[in-house]
Amino acid sequence: MQQLPKRLLSIDVLRAITMLLMIFVNDAGGVQHIPEWIDHAKGLEDRVGFADTIFPAFLFIVGLSLPFAINNRIKKSDSTRQVLFYILVRSAGLLIMGFYHVNLEEYNSSAALIPKAAWALVITMAFFLIWLDYPESMAKTKRYTLQILGIAMLADRHGGDL
């Protein structure tokens, strides 16, 4: 049985809480009559809402995790070039995921063939297909087929009018 890498539980717990709160505050924005302190501060307001603290917490956890991730790659005997490529690929993935999820706010349900919630599930499934940490034992053709399927799902303009 393959041994899982040692992880710091505190970082994983903080990451999980941050992600849960990120989903909560993003969905709470459309709810009527929520307490004002939960929502994002509006453009000209001189305040910070609870929702405004979540993204900085996300950036903090990314910064906290980065040295551990780089150190793990070095322990696997990756070269500096491989580590930099890994960082670039992961960064591009996060930017692409952010692009799709941020643009869900502008989803045009009347022009789309599927409801907004279904499109959100489709793009999330595509992210998993593209960036899943596939087992080493999986055939490369199967892995590449799944990743290409994920890319095709993101490229499908029939899902929604972004």
Side-chain angles (χ1 to χ4, degrees), residues 60-96:
F60 174 76
I61 198 68
V62 167
L64 189 64
S65 301
L66 195 57
F68 293 105
I70 291 171
N71 194 33
N72 285 337
R73 300 303 281 194
I74 292 170
K75 284 181 182 176
K76 292 180 181 179
S77 302
D78 284 2
S79 68
T80 302
R81 177 177 278 168
Q82 289 172 311
V83 171
L84 288 175
F85 182 74
Y86 175 77
I87 292 170
L88 288 174
V89 168
R90 293 291 295 257
S91 299
L94 287 173
L95 288 171
I96 291 167

Side-chain angles (χ1 to χ4, degrees), residues 73 76 128-136 143 147:
R73 300 303 281 194
K76 292 180 181 179
F128 278 103
L129 289 172
I130 296 168
W131 287 289
L132 186 68
D133 190 13
Y134 290 100
E136 294 288 329
R143 173 185 171 187
Q147 289 176 321

